[in-house]
């Protein structure tokens, strides 16, 4: 089916400008208001941040560098991707931001963590995005005691966070918020209002420093049609396009709708998945030519497959959905929400997703080629068979760098013994070689779970990976990082980002490509979890 989201004319712009996509890092794994495990025929759903329990192979740390180095040096000169924050085509910032000349992520320093709210608490449902000018917005649903969707804004010029403010209507129980910026610094936040199963949105207008009214983007809400698993991408013209999953008659579909930013209204929503079975965990990103590409997981009998669709910026239409892999070994019909999607400035996109293989899940990847408009052949990027239970993988993220390489990170079980722990793995796509390397362990502490990895890149090809893990010899969970330094072709040692006392979990990460990274997480402060942020600049 071809679904029209509204009229749209073609605009020809330079490739580097088109490559700018100001979407934020969304909730990892597609936290969903619709439980895939309970949906008819859907099998089980794994939250991307879940502590599935896995063991770390302490001796395999060298493999992370070996597998990562392979993709470090291949090159192509163009902008960067649409995966998190804003893209590498954005202009460098003024005001002392470390840029490519100054080392970017190789040189930026994390600020002291800042508590974004002293009264609202925090939850796993949070997101952050960075605009083209280095400003950021963090959105979240507070803990169960509080209602509404709240946000904090970060100013690059003042290097300060504003006080928290509620952007949902009073009395709403908003969940799963997601945020994205356009090229002018305007933002759109979307979320689910659980009492009515409505998809709500609110626009921030940068020139007026003001919020528009709350609007609804999904059709005909009713208690029998729960929604969730949101994602956003912004067209070059500045119109955000929202994706979500919604259930009708017990079957989930992936829906899309376009927000007319100038008018402040939504088009008519439409289904972009096909009717083979329930569809879950949609992701969307913008390609260098201005088109959008979306992926999701979809149940088909005993299998859960990866599907895709493309929005044509010239026609204003979604094309027919199609498979991007055809693995035939699945038997349970289980879908796992640990998927990632990112685009580079060369017109390509990278998708990573888990597929069932016997009694476990393996991570697979595929690349969309802008030059042909087709997906390549999917291939496994890890095949660790130590764990005879599924799911063994979770919390995936992927992001391309300036040179057409890509970083995929995920959490994975690696210990077949009784003390199974989660570890963080990485694999790099080498643009020059046209292939993924070998998966390698990114953290080597086999005593504690490591979960929730996030990855961003800068325009020099450096990368930052964050995850949550209990510190060795300690009792508290902290936010850790490792950085890939492109000029050295290697990874730094693991380091703690949050220095304050208190358990820290659920990191979210966004960036400006000139070398600014913004992280938010939840942290135990004075006996209560709060939203906390730090900026690397």
């Amino acid at each position: 089916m071809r679904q029209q989201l509204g009229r749209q004319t073609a605009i020809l712009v330079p490739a580097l400008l088109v490559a700018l996509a100001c979407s934020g890092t969304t909730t990892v794994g597609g936290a969903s208001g619709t439980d895939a495990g309970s949906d008819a025929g859907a099998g089980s759903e794994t939250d991307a941040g879940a502590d599935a329990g896995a063991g770390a192979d302490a001796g395999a740390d060298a493999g992370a560098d070996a597998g990562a180095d392979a993709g470090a040096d291949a090159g192509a000169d163009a902008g960067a991707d649409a995966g998190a924050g804003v893209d590498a085509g954005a202009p460098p910032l003024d005001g002392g931001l470390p840029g490519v000349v100054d080392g970017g992520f190789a040189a930026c320093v994390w600020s002291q963590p800042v508590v974004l709210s002293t009264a609202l608490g925090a939850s796993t449902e949070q997101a952050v995005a960075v605009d083209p000018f280095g400003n950021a917005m963090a959105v979240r649903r507070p803990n169960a005691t509080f209602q509404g969707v709240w946000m904090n804004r970060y100013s690059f010029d003042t290097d300060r966070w504003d006080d928290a403010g509620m952007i949902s209507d009073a009395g709403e129980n908003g969940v799963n918020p997601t945020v994205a910026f356009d090229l002018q610094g305007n933002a759109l936040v979307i979320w689910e209002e659980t009492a009515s199963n409505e998809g709500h949105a609110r626009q921030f207008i940068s020139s007026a420093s003001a919020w528009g009214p709350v609007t609804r983007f999904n059709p005909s809400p009713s208690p029998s049609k729960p929604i969730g698993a949101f994602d956003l991408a912004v067209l070059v013209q500045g119109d955000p396009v929202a994706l979500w999953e919604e259930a009708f008659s017990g079957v989930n579909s992936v829906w899309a709708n376009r927000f007319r930013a100038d008018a402040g209204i939504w088009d008519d929503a439409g289904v972009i998945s096909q009717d083979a079975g329930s569809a879950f965990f949609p992701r969307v990103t913008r390609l260098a030519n201005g088109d959008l590409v979306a992926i999701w997981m979809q149940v088909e009998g005993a299998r859960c497959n990866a599907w895709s669709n493309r929005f044509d910026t010239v026609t204003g239409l979604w094309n027919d959905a199609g498979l991007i892999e055809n693995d035939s070994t699945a038997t349970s019909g289980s879908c796992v929400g640990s998927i990632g999607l990112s685009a580079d400035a060369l017109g390509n996109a990278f998708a990573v997703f888990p597929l069932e293989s016997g009694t476990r899940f393996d991570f697979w990847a595929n690349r969309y080629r802008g030059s042909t408009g087709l997906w390549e052949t999917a291939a496994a990027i890890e095949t660790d068979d130590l764990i005879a239970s599924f799911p063994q993988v979770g919390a995936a993220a992927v992001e391309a760098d300036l040179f057409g390489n890509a970083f995929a990170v995920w959490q994975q079980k690696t210990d077949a013994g009784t003390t199974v722990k989660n570890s963080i793995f990485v694999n790099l796509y080498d643009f020059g070689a046209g292939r993924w390397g070998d998966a390698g362990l990114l953290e080597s502490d086999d005593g504690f779970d490591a979960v929730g990895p996030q990855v961003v890149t800068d325009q020099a090809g450096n990368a930052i990976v964050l995850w949550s893990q209990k510190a060795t010899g300690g009792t508290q969970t902290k936010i850790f990082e490792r950085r890939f330094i492109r000029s050295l072709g290697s990874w730094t040692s693991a380091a703690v980002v949050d220095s304050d006392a208190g358990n820290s979990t659920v990191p979210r990460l966004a960036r400006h490509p000139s070398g600014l990274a913004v992280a938010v997480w939840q942290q135990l402060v004075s006996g209560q979890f709060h939203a906390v942020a730090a900026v690397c600049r």
Side-chain angles (χ1 to χ4, degrees), residues 224-432:
S224 63
K225 301 171 184 177
I227 64 173
F230 304 120
D231 203 7
L232 279 170
V234 181
L235 298 169
V236 174
Q237 293 89 336
D239 288 349
V241 175
L243 262 66
W244 70 96
E245 63 182 48
E246 185 157 350
F248 283 79
S249 301
V251 177
N252 262 29
S253 297
V254 174
W255 288 70
N257 203 349
R258 176 180 175 181
F259 182 72
R260 301 286 179 169
D262 289 344
I265 59 175
W266 291 90
D267 286 346
D268 293 332
V271 175
I272 66 169
S273 57
Q274 54 85 58
D275 298 329
S278 284
F280 305 98
F281 319 119
R283 292 285 181 272
V284 62
T285 192
R286 192 174 76 211
L287 300 171
N289 69 350
D291 292 350
L292 305 181
V293 64
I295 63 169
W296 62 88
M297 304 303 294
Q298 187 155 349
V299 174
E300 298 176 74
R303 299 165 54 187
C304 186
N305 295 322
W307 283 72
S308 179
N309 203 337
R310 182 176 60 86
F311 177 79
D312 189 319
T313 189
V314 176
T315 65
L317 298 172
W318 287 93
N319 293 309
D320 294 330
L323 281 166
I324 63 174
E325 55 78 28
N326 195 28
D327 177 55
S328 61
T329 63
T331 59
S332 73
S334 298
C335 278
V336 178
S338 307
I339 66 176
L341 178 66
S342 177
D344 65 23
L346 309 180
N348 310 308
F350 296 87
V352 296
F353 44 87
L355 293 179
E356 186 185 348
S357 177
T359 57
R360 69 180 191 277
F361 282 94
D362 292 324
F363 259 119
W364 287 59
N366 203 345
R367 186 175 74 141
Y368 173 86
R369 296 194 65 179
S371 60
T372 64
L374 300 172
W375 289 89
E376 298 176 341
T377 302
I381 60 174
E382 66 81 29
T383 56
D384 189 342
D385 59 359
L386 290 177
I387 304 300
S389 62
F390 64 88
Q392 76 166 86
V393 292
V398 64
E399 186 166 344
D401 69 11
L402 174 68
F403 309 100
N405 308 307
F407 296 77
V409 294
W410 64 93
Q411 67 189 51
Q412 181 178 344
K413 299 178 181 179
T414 56
D415 185 357
T418 57
T419 57
V420 178
K421 302 292 182 182
N422 277 331
S423 297
I424 305 302
F425 276 74
V426 64
N427 200 336
L428 266 68
Y429 180 86
D430 184 327
F431 176 81

Side-chain angles (χ1 to χ4, degrees), residues 459-471:
Q459 58 192 12
N462 305 308
I464 294 177
V465 178
L466 293 187
W467 69 91
S468 174
Q469 186 175 22
K470 187 175 290 185

Side-chain angles (χ1 to χ4, degrees), residues 192-217:
E192 176 189 357
E193 206 291 299
T194 57
S196 61
N197 290 323
E198 292 181 351
H200 284 188
R202 197 168 185 187
Q203 180 188 28
F204 175 76
I205 303 169
S206 177
S207 60
S209 191
W211 290 88
V214 174
T215 57
R216 178 173 63 83
F217 57 82

Side-chain angles (χ1 to χ4, degrees), residues 75-234:
D77 50 351
D81 80 318
V86 291
D87 285 30
L93 301 182
D94 296 326
L97 180 74
V100 171
V101 174
D102 299 315
F105 289 160
C108 73
V109 178
W110 288 104
S111 67
Q112 281 293 110
V114 175
V115 176
L116 298 182
S117 172
T118 58
L120 296 175
S123 78
T124 60
E125 297 167 5
Q126 54 191 342
V128 62
V130 178
D131 74 10
F133 312 103
N135 308 306
M137 184 177 293
V139 297
R140 65 191 178 280
R141 173 206 179 191
N143 62 30
T145 305
F146 301 93
Q147 292 184 327
V149 173
W150 293 73
M151 71 86 201
N152 292 79
R153 294 171 55 207
Y154 169 80
S155 167
F156 174 76
D157 290 337
T158 64
D159 193 21
R160 294 178 62 85
W161 289 90
D162 291 345
D163 293 336
M166 188 171 72
I167 58 175
S168 57
D169 287 336
E172 280 197 11
N173 186 24
V175 299
N176 301 325
T178 299
V179 58
F181 282 104
D182 67 16
L183 301 184
Q184 286 71 49
N186 304 310
L188 187 74
V189 182
I190 62 174
W191 66 90
E192 176 189 357
E193 206 291 299
T194 57
S196 61
N197 290 323
E198 292 181 351
H200 284 188
R202 197 168 185 187
Q203 180 188 28
F204 175 76
I205 303 169
S206 177
S207 60
S209 191
W211 290 88
V214 174
T215 57
R216 178 173 63 83
F217 57 82
N218 73 311
S220 303
S222 75
S224 63
K225 301 171 184 177
I227 64 173
F230 304 120
D231 203 7
L232 279 170
V234 181

